[in-house]
């Protein structure tokens, strides 16, 4: 039997909107902390019910976005490429994510100085290929470096709408040959790449994409996502997946939802390399 799926999360003890680095964030609006804690707990419990082992990292005062563990870095087999955050406000997180990866036995291989790279927020495997978003956070050069370092094919795609500033806000691989995506977040070229390279696709409607429904966590054939996307849930069902809606309203105030709150440590369901028979 396969090992349990492993997911890294960080409790929202110090979560808040304390600066503004994406269009969703407003310091003036603030966050309901009790509600955020309840929403985070519901995600952790749901992933547990789905059979995942949820590992918790220690929260750190003064790092309100440390909850978004998708941005810790990129996992590939026993290699961990830690993020290099574009904005100073998040740069203090890196040391904590690197320490976590070392403590778990990963080989930590940081990108060269001067490159921005925001980990699994911007780099997602679908099959053997790494789909990589750039412009608002990660640089296109960082993706090229990651591809060479890991020896995998990388397809960089420009993100064109600042509301979809990380690739995982508008694109979610659900199996090695299947993904959901919001076409409006990409240019013509990016859309063509996705259509040419992924055989089974679900297009998310603008109003549902705006509710962060592409920012989903996949465990087996269950897709955990923000509530309020009935059409996407139907499309997923038709493809043999089950949508599991939860409420992420407090985290959306920071520009994140289900997927951003998690890092899949043993490889995403859609990553071909997690299959033990795939070549190293
Ligand atoms: N406030 C955080 C930021 O702007 C949200 C990060 C969301 N993470 C993600 N993987 N999309 O960086």
């Amino acid at each position: 039997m396969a090992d349990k799926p492993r997911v890294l999360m960080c409790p929202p003890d110090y979560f808040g909107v304390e600066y503004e680095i994406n269009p969703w964030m407003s310091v003036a609006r603030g966050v309901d902390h009790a509600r955020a804690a309840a929403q985070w707990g519901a995600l952790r419990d749901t992933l547990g019910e789905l059979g995942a082992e949820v590992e918790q990292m220690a929260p750190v005062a003064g790092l309100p976005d440390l909850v978004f563990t998708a941005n810790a870095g990129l996992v590939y087999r026993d290699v961990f490429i830690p993020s290099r955050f574009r904005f100073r406000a998040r740069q203090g997180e890196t040391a904590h994510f690197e320490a976590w990866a070392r403590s778990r036995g990963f080989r930590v291989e940081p990108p060269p100085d001067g490159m921005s790279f925001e980990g699994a927020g911007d780099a997602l495997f679908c099959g053997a290929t790494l789909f990589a978003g750039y412009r608002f956070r990660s640089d296109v050069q960082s993706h090229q470096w990651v591809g060479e370092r890991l020896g995998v094919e990388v397809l960089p795609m420009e993100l064109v709408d600042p509301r979809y500033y990380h690739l995982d806000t508008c694109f979610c691989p659900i199996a090695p040959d299947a993904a959901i995506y919001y076409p409006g977040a990409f240019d013509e070229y990016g859309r063509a790449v996705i259509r040419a390279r992924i055989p089974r696709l679900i297009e998310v409607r603008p109003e549902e994409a705006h509710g962060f429904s592409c920012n989903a966590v996949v465990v087996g054939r269950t897709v955990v996502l923000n509530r309020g996307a009935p059409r996407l849930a139907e499309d997923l069902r038709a493809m043999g997946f089950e949508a599991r809606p939860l409420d992420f309203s407090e985290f959306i105030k920071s520009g994140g939802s289900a997927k951003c709150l998690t890092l899949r440590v043993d490889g995403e369901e859609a990553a071909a390399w997690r299959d033990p028979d795939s070549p190293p």
Side-chain angles (χ1 to χ4, degrees):
M1 212 187 104
D3 290 339
K4 272 186 156 194
R6 287 173 60 204
V7 175
L8 176 70
M9 293 180 70
C10 175
D13 302 22
Y14 304 106
F15 170 65
V17 177
E18 294 172 12
Y19 43 79
E20 297 173 4
I21 57 172
N22 70 54
W24 305 89
M25 298 175 89
S26 157
V27 172
R29 193 150 63 117
V31 157
D32 180 329
H33 284 99
R35 194 176 280 176
Q39 292 174 352
W40 186 92
L43 175 62
R44 178 202 52 206
D45 294 349
T46 300
L47 296 176
E49 280 161 29
L50 294 173
E53 191 181 302
V54 177
E55 183 178 339
Q56 297 191 27
M57 219 177 103
V60 178
L63 296 177
D65 278 341
L66 196 68
V67 290
F68 297 114
T69 52
N71 298 126
L74 178 68
V75 173
Y76 177 75
R77 301 182 188 276
D78 64 339
V79 177
F80 181 80
I81 300 184
S83 287
R84 288 292 177 263
F85 286 96
R86 161 110 30 205
F87 295 109
R88 184 181 291 277
R90 292 199 68 181
Q91 288 170 358
E93 296 175 34
T94 299
H96 299 279
F97 288 134
E98 288 188 7
W100 168 82
R102 281 205 184 81
S103 74
R104 292 298 174 274
F106 283 100
R107 275 195 290 140
V108 176
E109 306 225 0
D113 285 349
M115 286 185 188
S116 300
F117 175 68
E118 299 206 354
D122 267 336
L124 297 162
F125 281 97
C126 192
T129 301
L130 191 62
F131 290 77
Y134 68 91
R135 181 165 156 186
F136 299 111
R137 296 299 181 85
S138 302
D139 305 319
V140 72
Q141 294 92 331
S142 73
H143 293 313
Q144 277 155 358
W145 180 85
V146 168
E148 274 162 38
R149 173 61 203 81
L150 300 180
V152 300
E153 180 194 29
V154 174
L155 296 176
M157 289 181 300
E158 183 164 350
L159 302 173
V160 301
D161 181 335
R163 291 172 303 173
Y164 302 96
Y165 59 94
H166 274 142
L167 182 64
D168 69 1
T169 62
C170 51
F171 174 76
C172 178
I174 53 176
D177 66 338
I180 64 182
Y181 80 116
Y182 169 51
F186 300 92
D187 61 11
E188 199 52 55
Y189 176 81
R191 288 193 285 268
V193 167
I194 290 174
R195 288 177 189 140
R197 298 301 300 271
I198 303 177
R200 296 190 296 152
L201 281 172
I202 296 176
E203 287 193 9
V204 180
R205 289 162 186 77
E207 62 285 6
E208 294 196 353
H210 194 256
F212 263 87
S213 59
C214 295
N215 195 250
V217 187
V218 187
V219 180
R221 297 186 81 75
T222 304
V223 180
V224 183
L225 77 188
N226 193 40
R227 63 178 190 184
R231 308 291 294 272
L232 173 57
E234 244 171 68
D235 290 344
L236 283 167
R237 205 169 307 122
M239 220 184 244
F241 291 83
E242 190 210 336
R244 184 73 69 89
L246 294 175
D247 189 0
F248 292 99
S249 61
E250 297 315 300
F251 297 99
I252 289 172
K253 292 177 180 172
S254 184
S257 183
K259 162 67 204 262
C260 303
L261 293 169
T262 66
L263 180 74
R264 183 73 183 256
V265 180
D266 59 324
E268 300 280 350
E269 301 285 336
W273 60 262
R274 66 191 301 271
D275 174 356
D277 296 330
S278 82

